[in-house]
Amino acid sequence: MQPNILIFMTDQERGDVVHPDHPCITPNATRLAQEGIRFSQSYCSSPHCCPSRATFMTGLYPSRHGVYNNVSNPSAINRTVFEGVTMFSEHLQDAGYHLAYTGKWHVSDTDNPSDRGWEELEAVRAKAGSYMHTGIQQWQTQDFGNPTERGYGQILRPGWKPAQLFNSYPTDTEHAYESHDDYKVVKSALDALPGLAADDKPWCLYVGTFGPHDDFVVPEHYVNMYDLDDIPLPVNYADTLRDKPAVYQRMRDMYWSQMTEEEVRDCIRHYWAFCTMEDELFGLLLDKLEELGQVENTLVLFVSDHGEYCGSHGLYCKGIPSFREAYHVPTIIRYPNGIKNPGREENAFVSLADFAPTFMDVANADMPDDLTGRSLTPFFENEAPSDWRETLFTQCNGVELYYSQRSVMTRDYKYVYNGFDWDELYDLQNDPHEMINLAKDPHYDEIKHELVRQMWRFAAAQNDELIMNPYYTVALAPWGPADALK
């Protein structure tokens, strides 16, 4: 029997905040994990919205789906996926599913959800073209002055509008979340669920919120759930970044070093509060499923598109720094009719590319050949495949500024190829917080060499020719592809 599918995707939520040992308050994520599977080592393919969301939708990495950076601005490499690339929704539609979409899209600047099989609910946001920057004219007509006094939680940016990184506000609604735009997204899903449940077809409902993306501005009800005195600085907050690429240092020195340690801890408090609000919104959907008798045969996925630094390494947001916090995402799946021995935690390396094949697999839908990802259904049976990946790869070609960055991560080491600066190598067993860059240490050359070989093999398998150009000014990897592919 084809299951219903409910996808709840937050924006910019770290994987660690939903772990039971984490102080962030997420009772509904905990509830889901107790009734399903928590995948503790789940990662995005690229550390920002559009490439990761396209990977989620297609089961492919950026080099094969074509979305390399954010699609709705003048520096987009491509504005949509390559011709011929399909999304899992199209295959589910062919398999008889009724699909409904609400919330953030940000996958294509030329296609909307309805072009890929979805019924667009009232709260669909970020549709094709909606993120286009207004260009030079906005800077010719706006004067932000040149303030020299920085407010609490504020980042001064001369010539740009000062940024309020975190803040809170009082509410007078019955439930604090009703004052936030994300409630509109969830409310449209709640309103749609009775009709979907009454339909003879299996259904797939995608709910994409905009939080806990920066800026972290949330109802004070959630902030007050945390005591500032109880919020620690991140373990790696004191990282000077001096042995790492200069752009990492520039980001920290230019902006984030403006904040005091108290502000850093308060910012973390507001971020956790945002995650708690998202968790409460998610709980509304879980409650509605129970009310409608739709729990047993519904696969529920709680996931995010990428992470957030939130003070780790002294950084915020995501993007070019290649540390764990930007790539690690929460992943919890509940499917009572399909998961054996629920309440488990799996530590297999999982990629956002694995969800499209998983959805198509459980739906008995036709699946494209040679996807980057693999179906997670063997884990539902509590039978981890013997050939499951032991190495995880990432691809990044920049955001609105272009960079070339690839990473290779095993259980023991992580190598980062930075085509724009010095490379990185971390001993994950002895340095799990990625504080000490070993890339220039000759004692690790053999390890680094093998990871570079693996990088080239994955690049070849994924048609990642962008980093294979042999010209002097761009052939900057320490060993070239022929070393691994000959």
Side-chain angles (χ1 to χ4, degrees):
M1 182 179 181
Q2 294 169 305
N4 305 311
I5 300 171
L6 171 63
I7 301 162
F8 188 82
M9 177 177 274
T10 59
D11 192 341
Q12 206 159 304
E13 186 162 1
R14 290 167 59 129
D16 57 358
V17 297
V18 299
H19 195 275
D21 295 333
H22 196 279
C24 187
I25 302 168
T26 56
N28 290 295
T30 298
R31 164 187 170 191
L32 195 74
Q34 290 171 342
E35 300 168 354
I37 303 174
R38 182 194 308 277
F39 291 92
S40 62
Q41 297 294 322
S42 183
Y43 296 86
C44 62
S45 60
S46 191
H48 49 129
C49 291
C50 295
S52 278
R53 290 170 181 269
T55 289
F56 179 82
M57 292 291 179
T58 65
L60 300 170
Y61 264 47
S63 58
R64 294 185 57 211
H65 61 57
V67 177
Y68 294 105
N69 59 350
N70 287 343
V71 294
S72 300
N73 57 68
S75 59
I77 297 173
N78 292 313
R79 296 200 183 278
T80 191
V81 298
F82 288 140
E83 185 176 354
V85 169
T86 57
M87 300 184 188
F88 74 79
S89 52
E90 298 167 83
H91 299 278
L92 263 58
Q93 184 183 45
D94 291 342
Y97 274 71
H98 181 174
L99 299 107
Y101 199 105
T102 181
K104 186 171 182 178
W105 174 235
H106 220 187
V107 175
S108 168
D109 193 52
T110 62
D111 294 345
N112 287 315
S114 58
D115 298 309
R116 297 290 178 162
W118 301 94
E119 173 192 353
E120 297 179 12
L121 303 180
E122 181 178 350
V124 168
R125 300 281 192 87
K127 295 171 68 174
S130 64
Y131 268 90
M132 284 300 293
H133 295 187
T134 56
I136 296 172
Q137 185 177 3
Q138 67 173 322
W139 308 116
Q140 294 174 329
T141 57
Q142 298 185 44
D143 180 11
F144 301 121
N146 190 21
T148 58
E149 295 293 326
R150 187 181 66 84
Y152 188 77
Q154 192 176 72
I155 305 298
L156 293 183
R157 308 186 300 167
W160 311 85
K161 185 177 181 180
Q164 189 69 42
L165 185 58
F166 64 93
N167 208 344
S168 63
Y169 58 89
T171 57
D172 56 7
T173 56
E174 180 181 0
H175 302 288
Y177 54 72
E178 293 176 350
S179 66
H180 197 278
D181 283 347
D182 274 351
Y183 177 63
K184 300 175 185 176
V185 174
V186 173
K187 180 66 164 57
S188 69
L190 294 170
D191 291 343
L193 271 170
L196 293 171
D199 197 338
D200 291 335
K201 293 182 176 182
W203 53 263
C204 177
L205 173 62
Y206 179 98
V207 185
T209 63
F210 295 82
H213 193 292
D214 61 280
D215 298 319
F216 313 130
V217 179
V218 289
E220 62 185 16
H221 166 79
Y222 298 100
V223 179
N224 292 338
M225 297 170 72
Y226 298 90
D227 188 333
L228 181 58
D229 291 338
D230 294 335
I231 308 294
L233 290 171
V235 174
N236 52 17
Y237 175 73
D239 187 355
T240 66
L241 301 175
R242 297 309 169 197
D243 61 345
K244 301 177 178 72
V247 68
Y248 301 6
Q249 304 166 35
R250 183 173 186 174
M251 290 176 180
R252 176 169 180 164
D253 295 347
M254 187 172 180
Y255 289 139
W256 313 126
S257 62
Q258 295 180 34
M259 291 201 297
T260 66
E261 290 189 1
E262 178 182 323
E263 287 175 290
V264 171
R265 292 189 297 106
D266 206 1
C267 185
I268 294 170
R269 179 170 70 145
H270 282 73
Y271 179 71
W272 290 357
F274 210 161
C275 294
T276 297
M277 189 194 77
E278 296 297 335
D279 184 82
E280 188 167 358
L281 290 172
F282 177 54
L284 300 179
L285 293 165
L286 296 183
D287 291 345
K288 179 61 74 171
L289 289 180
E290 289 189 5
E291 176 188 324
L292 297 170
Q294 295 281 293
V295 171
E296 296 302 314
N297 196 44
T298 299
L299 186 159
V300 178
L301 169 66
F302 181 98
V303 72
S304 194
D305 57 351
H306 52 73
E308 155 70 49
Y309 285 115
C310 202
S312 295
H313 298 276
L315 302 168
Y316 292 85
C317 306
K318 70 286 182 186
I320 298 311
S322 190
F323 302 119
R324 170 188 172 90
E325 293 86 354
Y327 283 87
H328 186 217
V329 295
T331 296
I332 306 172
I333 298 177
R334 184 185 74 184
Y335 176 21
N337 282 354
I339 288 180
K340 294 181 179 179
N341 303 324
R344 289 181 279 124
E345 180 172 306
E346 293 282 355
N347 68 353
F349 279 153
V350 170
S351 166
L352 283 191
D354 296 329
F355 295 107
T358 300
F359 299 146
M360 290 184 279
D361 191 4
V362 298
N364 295 316
D366 291 336
M367 194 180 306
D369 295 330
D370 196 24
L371 295 177
T372 309
R374 295 176 60 179
S375 173
L376 296 170
T377 54
F379 294 99
F380 296 178
E381 299 291 329
N382 203 13
E383 297 175 357
S386 59
D387 62 344
W388 194 260
R389 68 177 70 90
E390 286 295 331
T391 306
L392 201 76
F393 302 87
T394 69
Q395 297 180 343
C396 180
N397 288 305
V399 279
E400 282 67 45
L401 296 178
Y402 300 138
Y403 302 80
S404 291
Q405 183 183 75
R406 303 292 185 268
S407 77
V408 184
M409 183 173 70
T410 67
R411 301 287 177 180
D412 297 321
Y413 292 95
K414 178 178 176 181
Y415 167 73
V416 185
Y417 166 54
N418 294 311
F420 54 89
D421 207 321
W422 299 115
D423 294 345
E424 299 164 75
L425 179 69
Y426 301 104
D427 180 344
L428 299 180
Q429 293 299 314
N430 296 305
D431 179 27
H433 300 291
E434 300 169 306
M435 294 281 282
I436 302 170
N437 182 8
L438 303 169
K440 294 184 179 181
D441 188 331
H443 293 97
Y444 291 86
D445 276 356
E446 185 176 345
I447 292 168
K448 184 170 70 172
H449 196 170
E450 176 54 31
L451 293 174
V452 171
R453 289 191 184 102
Q454 292 191 48
M455 178 187 77
W456 289 126
R457 292 175 193 133
F458 185 78
Q462 301 303 318
N463 301 326
D464 188 12
E465 295 183 347
L466 285 179
I467 59 169
M468 293 186 177
N469 191 311
Y471 192 66
Y472 305 104
T473 58
V474 292
L476 299 177
W479 296 275
D483 179 68
L485 305 179
K486 60 186 176 182

